[in-house]
């Protein structure tokens, strides 16, 4: 009989050591500062900066970025495992330089930016000196199917003239620039129509309408509705080649999904641990909740679901 195929989910000693260092940092500097979070703004600027410097000194900055851009250079498995720990606290992703949408935008710029764009946008973004946003989704068409995007960028002389409507654009309030997905060739086949263009947030015609309401925290910079009204940027702000928007979007969103999902696994695991502690502490009808069979079933189901989600990611 042939050998059964078994996936090895064990964590290498190198990654175990990194996870232990991130865990120690979280216990020393992160959990105790969670109460200082300000909605839509994050931690007070000075405190955030101070903690980010500590993360950098500890060699734990930007698990998703290669070393030449100041990151840890630990590949996809490494960044997944690091983000699982980082996701245990809502304030940690920004402290470790792994917050969406900046992490994904930095990865995208590494893949597609030219030398000038790298210096102007990627260098300060990778260092955590500025924030950014990624503007693809539109209210009028399905976000799951971006072939229907309506925002246009037309060539006019030496500029792109951008008009359109976006929403759910995370981190837009306070972002230094947006990477905008816009149709540059309406006659091309659907997946070659759109391109990505860098739009500095202070460009006239870049208008933040509002932070769209979401369940729970709106995060730093909100999830915003934006209008582009005769917004003009130089032709040189094109990211990658014209018509490459879809290909680049996949390059950006793929790793981003791994990071997001592992952070949510970390959030779920911490919530699970809180639930277990509470069920041991809370007395009901003369015994802890943890003694009730139904509560035990719920806890077992949660443990199985979290583990399954973790292994699938
Ligand atoms: C908190 C938050 C932050 C976000 N941040 C950003 C951001 O920074 N930048 C950005 O550009 N966008 C962002 N988005 C938008 C996000 O990418 C879209 O919400 C997502 O792509 C889905 O698009 P939609 O909301 O238009 O839903 P729709 O595409 O209209 O889908 C509606 C429903 O139909 C289902 N559905 C769609 N197609 C199928 C199918 N083929 N089969 C079965 N079911 C289907 C979907 O699962 C969904 O339940 C964010 C969204 C949220 C909630």
């Amino acid at each position: 009989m042939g050998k059964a195929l078994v996936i090895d989910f064990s964590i290498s000693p190198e990654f175990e050591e990194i996870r232990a260092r991130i865990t120690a940092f979280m216990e020393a500097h992160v959990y105790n500062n969670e109460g200082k979070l300000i909605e839509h703004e994050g931690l007070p600027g000075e405190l955030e900066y101070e903690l980010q410097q500590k993360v950098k000194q500890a060699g734990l900055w930007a698990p998703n970025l290669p070393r030449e851009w100041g990151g840890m250079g630990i590949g996809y498995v490494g960044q997944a495992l690091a983000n699982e720990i980082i996701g245990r606290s809502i304030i940690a992703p920004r402290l470790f330089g792994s917050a969406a949408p900046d992490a994904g935008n930095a990865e995208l710029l590494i893949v597609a930016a030219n030398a000038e764009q790298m210096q102007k946008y990627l260098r300060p973004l990778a260092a955590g000196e500025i924030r950014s946003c990624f503007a693809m989704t539109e209210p009028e068409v399905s976000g799951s199917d971006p072939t229907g995007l309506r925002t246009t960028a037309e060539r006019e002389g030496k500029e792109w003239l951008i008009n359109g409507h976006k929403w759910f654009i995370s981190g837009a309030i306070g972002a230094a620039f947006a990477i905008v997905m816009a149709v540059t060739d309406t006659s091309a086949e659907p997946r070659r129509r759109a391109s990505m263009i860098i739009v500095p947030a202070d460009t006239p015609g870049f208008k933040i309408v509002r932070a769209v309401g979401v369940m729970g925290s709106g995060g730093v910079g909100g999830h915003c509705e934006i209008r582009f009204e005769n917004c003009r940027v130089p032709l040189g702000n094109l990211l990658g080649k014209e018509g490459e928007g879809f290909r680049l979007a996949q390059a950006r969103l793929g790793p981003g999904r791994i990071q997001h999902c592992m952070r949510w696994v970390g959030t779920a695991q911490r919530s699970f641990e809180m639930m277990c502690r509470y069920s041991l502490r809370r007395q009901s009808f003369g015994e802890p909740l943890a003694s009730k069979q139904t509560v035990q079933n719920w806890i077992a189901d949660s443990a199985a679901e979290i583990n399954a989600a973790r292994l699938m990611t």
Side-chain angles (χ1 to χ4, degrees), residues 101 134-138 141-145 167-171 214 223:
F134 180 71
M136 181 171 76
T137 307
E138 302 181 358
V141 292
S142 161
S144 312
D145 175 17
W167 74 349
F168 285 116
I169 308 311
S170 304
V214 292
H223 305 286

Side-chain angles (χ1 to χ4, degrees), residues 220-237:
V220 176
H223 305 286
C224 298
E225 180 180 351
I226 295 178
R227 284 193 185 274
F228 294 89
E229 293 176 353
N230 293 324
C231 186
R232 291 172 186 277
V233 294
L235 290 180
N237 281 28

Side-chain angles (χ1 to χ4, degrees), residues 14-296:
E14 180 205 353
F15 292 148
E16 283 289 15
E17 189 266 342
I18 289 171
R19 280 160 64 88
R21 285 199 289 132
I22 296 175
T23 301
F25 192 96
M26 300 274 287
E27 280 161 8
H29 304 292
V30 177
Y31 297 129
N32 55 342
N33 280 308
E34 285 177 332
K36 296 173 190 153
L37 180 76
I38 305 165
E39 178 66 0
H40 285 168
E41 290 178 29
L43 286 181
E46 270 180 32
L47 175 62
E48 184 173 272
Y49 178 77
E50 182 196 315
L51 292 173
Q52 286 174 335
Q53 299 318 303
K54 283 198 169 113
V55 167
K56 287 180 183 175
Q57 282 155 17
L60 298 171
W61 179 256
N64 60 308
L65 293 184
R67 292 220 169 103
E68 60 263 41
W69 289 104
M72 294 178 73
I74 51 176
Y76 289 125
V77 174
Q79 60 181 269
L81 292 168
N83 270 293
E84 183 181 12
I85 311 285
I86 292 168
R88 290 174 64 88
S89 171
I90 196 165
I91 62 171
R94 283 200 47 74
L95 301 180
F96 285 85
S98 70
D102 294 331
N105 283 348
E107 289 161 32
L108 175 58
L109 290 167
I110 288 173
V111 172
N114 60 33
E116 193 187 332
Q117 291 166 342
M118 284 192 178
Q119 280 315 310
K120 194 166 174 186
Y121 300 105
L122 174 58
R123 193 198 52 72
L125 186 67
E129 292 162 12
I130 57 171
R131 290 199 292 101
S132 63
C133 61
F134 180 71
M136 181 171 76
T137 307
E138 302 181 358
E140 293 82 6
V141 292
S142 161
S144 312
D145 175 17
T147 54
L149 289 183
R150 292 187 187 167
T151 296
T152 54
E154 297 166 66
R155 280 172 185 270
E156 266 203 13
K158 293 182 176 165
E159 294 175 323
W160 293 109
L161 173 65
I162 305 175
N163 279 292
H165 189 195
K166 303 280 183 184
W167 74 349
F168 285 116
I169 308 311
S170 304
I173 299 168
F177 67 92
I179 298 177
V180 182
M181 183 110 152
V183 174
T184 43
D185 182 356
T186 47
S187 62
E189 62 100 357
R191 283 175 183 74
R192 302 286 304 171
R193 276 180 204 156
S195 304
M196 290 206 183
I197 297 173
I198 301 173
V199 178
D202 58 2
T203 310
F206 176 92
K207 293 187 179 161
I208 296 177
V209 179
R210 63 178 173 132
V212 179
V214 292
M215 259 198 287
S217 167
V220 176
H223 305 286
C224 298
E225 180 180 351
I226 295 178
R227 284 193 185 274
F228 294 89
E229 293 176 353
N230 293 324
C231 186
R232 291 172 186 277
V233 294
L235 290 180
N237 281 28
L238 179 72
L239 186 57
K241 294 198 185 96
E242 206 174 324
E244 266 196 340
F246 270 83
R247 192 183 71 73
L248 293 177
Q250 287 313 314
R252 184 203 178 283
L253 297 170
R257 286 180 190 120
I258 300 173
Q259 296 160 18
H260 265 311
C261 293
M262 286 308 279
R263 282 195 294 270
W264 283 115
V265 168
T267 308
Q269 181 60 32
R270 185 174 175 202
S271 309
F272 175 81
E273 290 162 17
M274 291 164 90
M275 174 173 73
C276 291
R277 281 198 296 273
Y278 185 76
S279 68
L280 284 168
R281 194 174 70 231
R282 186 71 160 179
Q283 298 286 321
S284 172
F285 297 98
E287 58 181 4
L289 287 178
S291 308
K292 320 280 181 202
Q293 193 175 20
T294 302
V295 174
Q296 290 171 4

